[in-house]
Amino acid sequence: MALISPSRRLRRTPFSEGVEAAGVSAYTVYNHMLLPTVFASVEEDYRHLKAAVQVWDVACERQVEVRGPDAGKLVQMLSPRDLRGMLPGQCYYLPMVDETGGMLNDPVAVKLAEDRWWISIADSDLILWVKGIAHGYRLDVLIDEPDVSPLAVQGPLADDLMARVFGEGVRGIRFFRFGHFDFMGRDMVIARSGYSKQGGFEIYVEGSDIGMPLWNALMEAGRDLDVRAGCPNGIERVEGGLLSYGNDMTRDNTPHEAGLGRFCNTATAIGCIGRDALLRVVKDGPVKQVRAIEIETDRLPRCDRVWPILDGTRRVGQVTSAAVSPDFGCGVAIGMVRMTHWDPGTEVMVETQDGAFPARVRENFWN
């Protein structure tokens, strides 16, 4: 693949200096920013993530800040998840939809106060939709992108590393909750969350100037824990069934097709713009849905395009993310499969640019 030419439109992050010093070997572009994807190798990074602790530059998870008297009303308009019971200090995973019920993003919403939210977005320009809704409905809110850059600490030793930098109290943060912690006299919002199944935290670093001091402090404190710079790992995320917006679901998919129905309370999410469209989906049910696909091979090409899922010559779905798993000894994949073929154990073929491979639908993902 040809190199991507850098420019000011492709934004660096507050942690780019540390990422480069750590030997990053590949990036992708995410929310117009650099997102590391490989350091040593995808396989070596995978092994280390499962064994130790990594510090991830995920500043590309930009924040849409919504503040003002109508903040809660606006956030509810964006999502079919019922937010009435959400309290300050909680984080919610929120499918966000348009008027047709199509997915626009799948962020984590951080409720800082009744009148102040951060929406930590996946890869789409969600702020434009949010501003449009606020303006069109004349809501009393301010919307902007604050100088907040998430830094993730992931892996089985994440608690030990974080306690050394922020104190033992950080261990008490519950899953998808956050607390306020001091670093060099600055308040840091720290949540127990992250884009891996290995456990860890996301630090919402407010102020670009404090980015590298925090990066260096984590690296120094974790020397004996074998801390390394890392990044979301393509193998580990597919094993865990962690979806990627723009890859595994798009605006053409409803949350129910993406397997996110458990995060929707469509009947009671009063005010959600896509509610009427999704009520029809709930009544009739989806005709295709995300499934785990096990591919019988120990070698796969890069999944940089859709791979058709076939029953004979008939297309019954598509693979959208795939990798070979060292731990499970097979190809692991995320696919969107028609209801006629989504039952566990259904045998199909997956057609890649390097040929077709036998595969089967699984009941669950691997982790």
Side-chain angles (χ1 to χ4, degrees):
M1 181 177 178
L3 296 176
I4 297 174
S5 299
S7 74
R8 288 188 64 247
R9 291 183 296 106
L10 180 52
R11 296 157 55 189
R12 291 168 59 81
T13 84
F15 317 110
S16 289
E17 179 185 330
V19 166
E20 291 162 358
V24 63
S25 59
Y27 288 106
T28 190
V29 179
Y30 195 103
N31 281 326
H32 315 287
M33 297 190 82
L34 291 168
L35 171 61
T37 56
V38 183
F39 282 85
S41 71
V42 176
E43 293 78 12
E44 186 174 335
D45 294 350
Y46 163 90
R47 290 289 190 206
H48 180 264
L49 172 61
K50 288 190 168 186
V53 60
Q54 295 180 351
V55 178
W56 295 1
D57 174 1
V58 286
C60 63
E61 294 173 359
R62 303 313 298 162
Q63 307 304 301
V64 176
E65 180 167 319
V66 181
R67 63 189 187 278
D70 288 336
K73 178 180 179 180
L74 174 55
V75 178
Q76 183 64 85
M77 293 175 76
L78 304 173
S79 177
R81 185 165 183 178
D82 190 336
L83 303 180
R84 288 177 298 176
M86 187 178 181
L87 301 173
Q90 288 185 297
C91 310
Y92 271 20
Y93 179 67
L94 293 187
M96 291 196 168
V97 299
D98 64 12
E99 75 284 359
T100 71
M103 294 274 295
L104 293 176
N105 207 282
D106 65 327
V108 172
V110 179
K111 188 173 183 179
L112 299 165
E114 292 295 339
D115 61 352
R116 188 182 181 208
W117 302 64
W118 285 341
I119 304 172
S120 188
I121 63 173
D123 187 20
S124 79
D125 292 312
L126 187 73
I127 192 170
L128 304 179
W129 171 257
V130 180
K131 280 180 171 287
I133 297 301
H135 178 74
Y137 284 87
R138 299 183 180 276
L139 300 179
D140 188 3
V141 291
L142 292 172
I143 299 159
D144 59 18
E145 180 185 307
D147 184 13
V148 174
S149 299
L151 188 67
V153 177
Q154 300 287 295
L157 302 182
D159 280 63
D160 294 338
L161 175 56
M162 290 289 286
R164 293 180 183 185
V165 175
F166 293 101
E168 288 295 316
V170 79
R171 297 182 188 270
I173 301 175
R174 292 161 55 192
F175 185 61
F176 264 49
R177 299 286 184 120
F178 68 86
H180 293 266
F181 293 83
D182 177 80
F183 178 76
M184 294 179 60
R186 301 278 278 275
D187 180 66
M188 298 279 173
V189 170
I190 299 177
R192 189 177 288 276
S193 58
Y195 197 53
S196 86
K197 289 287 189 173
Q198 306 311 309
F201 302 85
E202 289 178 302
I203 309 164
Y204 291 80
V205 182
E206 193 166 6
S208 296
D209 61 303
I210 204 72
M212 280 311 300
L214 177 57
W215 177 282
N216 290 332
L218 288 164
M219 288 298 179
E220 182 63 30
R223 284 184 182 228
D224 63 322
L225 301 177
D226 191 26
V227 66
R228 297 184 195 174
C231 52
N233 184 269
I235 304 171
E236 194 269 350
R237 85 152 182 95
V238 174
E239 287 179 352
L242 298 177
L243 304 184
S244 169
Y245 183 80
N247 283 317
D248 305 313
M249 72 284 201
T250 69
R251 197 168 64 246
D252 294 329
N253 302 118
T254 68
H256 301 278
E257 290 175 343
L260 303 177
R262 65 190 183 280
F263 299 108
C264 299
N265 316 101
T266 309
T268 58
I270 307 300
C272 172
I273 286 173
R275 180 171 176 265
D276 288 347
L278 288 177
L279 283 172
R280 292 191 293 271
V281 173
V282 171
K283 179 181 177 181
D284 298 335
V287 297
K288 58 184 177 181
Q289 199 168 58
V290 162
R291 287 292 187 271
I293 308 294
E294 182 174 317
I295 306 174
E296 296 180 18
T297 184
D298 60 1
R299 185 183 298 268
L300 283 171
R302 185 183 301 275
C303 188
D304 57 1
R305 65 205 72 180
V306 164
W307 293 344
I309 299 174
L310 304 174
D311 179 6
T313 59
R314 184 160 61 111
R315 182 166 175 162
V316 296
Q318 60 186 29
V319 164
T320 50
S321 297
V324 172
S325 168
D327 281 356
F328 295 98
C330 63
V332 295
I334 297 171
M336 187 74 71
V337 185
R338 287 189 175 189
M339 65 185 301
T340 54
H341 289 73
W342 70 25
D343 289 341
T346 301
E347 295 187 353
V348 292
M349 296 292 291
V350 172
E351 186 175 7
T352 77
Q353 59 267 38
D354 284 0
F357 298 91
R360 67 180 59 85
V361 178
R362 285 175 54 94
E363 183 171 5
N364 297 305
F365 286 93
W366 289 262
N367 285 333

